[in-house]
Each structure stands twice: as C-alpha cells, then as structure tokens.
Amino acid sequence: MPEEQLPLPHNRNNAVTRGVWRGEDGLIHKVLTHRRTDAPPQWASSADPRFWNYWRREADVYLSGLPDRLGLGAPKLVELRELPDGDLELLLEDVSGTHGGDLTLEDIAAVAFAMGQAQGSAHLPSEPWFSQGFLADYSTTRPADFSLLEDDSAWSLPLIAAHFPPELRAALVRLHRNRERLLTVMTRLPRTVCHLDLWPNNVIRRPDGAVALLDWAFTGDGAVGEDAGNLVPDSFFDWPLRPDFAEHLPDLVTEAYLDGLKAAGWSGDPRSAVLGIRASAVKYDWLMPWCLQAALEDRHRAYGSGEAVDPHVRYEARAAGLAICARWADEAVELADSLGL
C-alpha cells in the first residue's frame, strides 16, 4: 500500500487481504493476495474455489455482477488490476452514507428486508466459486479452549462475573453441547445464496435509503435465515452496547427478513426461516471461551485497528450478543424438534 494513502480498518489476520485503503483518486483500493504466509492458521487462504476463504472470490463476485443479479447493493467496481506478482487490486466506489456502529435499528431492519427479498427469489444464481460448508468450517476452526466453560475460576474473574450471570453461563454451555445438532440442522434447511459476513462494518446505508454491502469474500451456499441470524449478534460484539438494540433488534430483524421473503414470493415454511436465524447462533459457540481466555490474559483490542478498548464496555456488549445467541440456540433446538429436524 502506498504510504501516502489512508489505510482502512479490516481484518489484518485474513491471508486473502494484503491491504485496504482510500486512495487520492477518491476510490477504495483493496488488494487480494494468495501469497501471504504470515496469517494465523485459522485465517489461511486457499486456491480451492469452494473453500470459504478462497483468495480471489471477491474479485469474482464483482466481475460477475453478482450483487446486481441478487438484487442487492454493493460498491461499483471501477477497475480490476492484475498486479505483476499475481495479486489483484480492486478499485471500488467510495460509498457515502451511514456505516458500522452508526447504523440505526431502522437501518439494520432495512438490511434484513433486503436480504430476505434477495434470498426469497425463485431464480437464484449459481457459480463454481461459491463457498460450500462455510458455517461449520469457520465456526469450528476458531481458536478456543472449551475447557474454560467448565472452569469456575475463569467465570469468577471480576470482568466476567460483572457481565455473565450464572444463568447465561448455563445457557452458553448448552449452546456448546448442542453444537453438532445445530450445525446439522443448518445443513438441512432450504438453501440460498448468502453473503456470510453480514454485520454492521460491512453495511452502508446510502443517503437515499439504499443498502450497499461490503466484503463479499465468503459468499456462497448457506441456509435461509443464516445471514439475518448473523446480523443480530454481530451488531453487538465490536461496538458499545446500545440498550434499545438489545431489546428490539432480534424481533425487528426476524420480522423484516420474513417480510422480505414474502415480498419476493418465497413459498417455503416461515418456520424454517426462523429456525435458520435461530440456529445460526452456533457460529459463535467459540466466542465465550475466547472471551474467557482474553479476560485471563487481560487482552482487549479493537477489531481492525488493534487499539486498546475499555474491557467493561466491550464485555457488556459481547454479553448482550452472546445472550441472544444462547437464547436463540435453545429456541432452535425446540423448533427443530417440532419440525422433525
């Protein structure tokens, strides 16, 4: 990345990304690479087009016009440059609007409706580079010491005890014990084309109300409801808690997503879409032991920038998101039983 350009926050661990910056040309530059060897194992790239972290998938998304074909918004691809070393540089529109932690409840509901409307189409595209098996491959390879779920001393740390009461601990332990059941349920639900990284940092609401989605690197096969299910808890994990979100967001997103499916003429059972939203909570099974480990090590850094954050602010928000995951996992087991899944 040229030193005179402005670097933008992104997941620096992911081996498929060499850099993201705002250029003097007014565009967003993102370099996709297959050459990085410094990434953690769980973020290794792949040359397999079906692997969730296939290195050039985002370029394929833009070249194929996939967002438009799905009826979803995205930055305009201005140019794709093949670099001398074989890496790819995307030059993208710098979308203006409301982004990340500034999104309102109304904004996030609009995203959920747009996803439902896109995923409810009877004529969804298929591409040879769509990821397969993302949920299980991603969620079961995050570094997590699950023995900490049974470690009373870890749960007794002041930071943990302040935000995770005993009933939430019990529910998160149940989530982990039901992991394989929930992952299996997700494979049995109706399939759709998913973004698979839908969270506030990958959303911009344009001034005219249109939604633009960023970072299409994981795009591929997923369960109906899976994207909406990720959007809710991941609206908490890396932001200060907004109490109105904790109270209203789960139902608001569920209703907006179902409304989007209905608007698209989707003929499936709405209960299966709700189950997809609820059971997708299994994606974050690893996060509680990760939080326990971080608390033990007094390690608290912001996503993207790596800057130190107030651990109580962070853990208040993460507890809210994980409480939703735990509740949804219990609801998913009950709903799956009623549907015979």
Side-chain angles (χ1 to χ4, degrees):
M1 183 191 73
E3 291 183 2
E4 67 271 14
Q5 311 295 8
L6 176 66
L8 296 175
H10 62 281
N11 181 1
R12 299 176 187 277
N13 285 327
N14 195 333
V16 306
T17 307
R18 199 171 89 190
V20 184
W21 66 93
R22 178 175 286 110
E24 292 183 341
D25 53 10
L27 299 175
I28 302 300
H29 295 241
K30 183 173 186 177
V31 175
L32 310 180
T33 183
H34 56 100
R35 301 180 304 107
R36 277 186 59 186
T37 59
D38 60 337
Q42 70 272 17
W43 287 108
S45 65
S46 174
D48 178 358
R50 295 297 194 181
F51 186 68
W52 67 271
N53 213 26
Y54 174 49
W55 79 274
R56 61 162 291 152
R57 181 176 293 112
E58 191 164 18
D60 291 329
V61 166
Y62 282 107
L63 288 172
S64 71
L66 180 67
D68 284 342
R69 291 156 62 201
L70 292 171
L72 292 169
K76 178 184 177 182
L77 175 65
V78 176
E79 185 180 353
L80 175 66
R81 296 173 178 169
E82 184 167 351
L83 303 180
D85 55 16
D87 289 351
L88 297 173
E89 183 176 0
L90 300 172
L91 280 69
L92 300 166
E93 169 196 7
D94 188 0
V95 179
S96 62
T98 307
H99 173 240
D102 294 327
L103 293 169
T104 66
L105 285 167
E106 179 189 2
D107 293 328
I108 295 178
V111 175
F113 179 85
M115 294 306 300
Q117 194 167 33
Q119 294 173 344
S121 171
H123 304 287
L124 290 169
S126 178
E127 295 287 354
W129 38 262
F130 278 177
S131 64
Q132 299 285 331
F134 166 81
L135 183 62
D137 286 347
Y138 175 89
S139 64
T140 62
T141 56
R142 303 305 91 190
D145 180 359
F146 287 101
S147 70
L148 291 174
L149 293 176
E150 309 296 337
D151 186 339
D152 291 341
S153 62
W155 287 94
S156 297
L157 291 169
L159 177 61
I160 299 298
H163 302 291
F164 294 88
E167 59 271 20
L168 180 51
R169 173 185 178 177
L172 289 167
V173 170
R174 284 196 303 274
L175 168 59
H176 179 60
R177 291 175 180 169
N178 285 320
R179 177 172 72 173
E180 295 307 318
R181 169 82 186 280
L182 294 169
L183 288 172
T184 299
V185 163
M186 289 294 284
T187 67
R188 294 177 177 172
L189 291 173
R191 314 315 295 166
T192 189
V193 179
C194 287
H195 180 278
L196 296 173
D197 196 14
L198 194 62
W199 69 298
N201 229 34
N202 286 337
V203 172
I204 299 175
R205 187 98 187 269
R206 296 179 187 266
D208 65 1
V211 171
L213 303 184
L214 314 178
D215 198 352
W216 294 75
F218 303 156
T219 301
D221 172 76
V224 65
E226 187 169 339
D227 276 332
N230 188 78
L231 181 59
V232 173
D234 222 355
S235 294
F236 296 88
F237 292 146
D238 288 287
W239 317 100
L241 178 65
R242 288 183 275 179
D244 57 335
F245 272 44
E247 181 179 358
H248 299 295
L249 193 61
D251 289 342
L252 197 64
V253 164
T254 300
E255 292 167 7
Y257 183 74
L258 293 176
D259 286 345
L261 290 175
K262 184 177 180 180
W266 190 67
S267 59
D269 186 340
R271 295 177 299 172
S272 64
V274 173
L275 179 55
I277 293 172
R278 302 298 187 258
S280 69
V282 71
K283 178 182 178 182
Y284 294 106
D285 173 49
W286 59 273
L287 186 53
M288 189 66 236
W290 189 95
C291 287
L292 291 168
Q293 188 70 53
L296 284 166
E297 298 173 359
D298 198 22
R299 172 170 46 85
H300 309 288
R301 298 286 173 181
Y303 173 87
S305 69
E307 296 179 357
V309 297
D310 183 326
H312 280 282
V313 171
R314 169 61 53 82
Y315 275 57
E316 180 187 34
R318 288 194 167 167
L322 284 167
I324 292 168
C325 288
R327 184 176 76 250
W328 277 4
D330 285 342
E331 292 174 2
V333 169
E334 184 176 348
L335 184 53
D337 286 343
S338 71
L339 293 174
L341 292 176

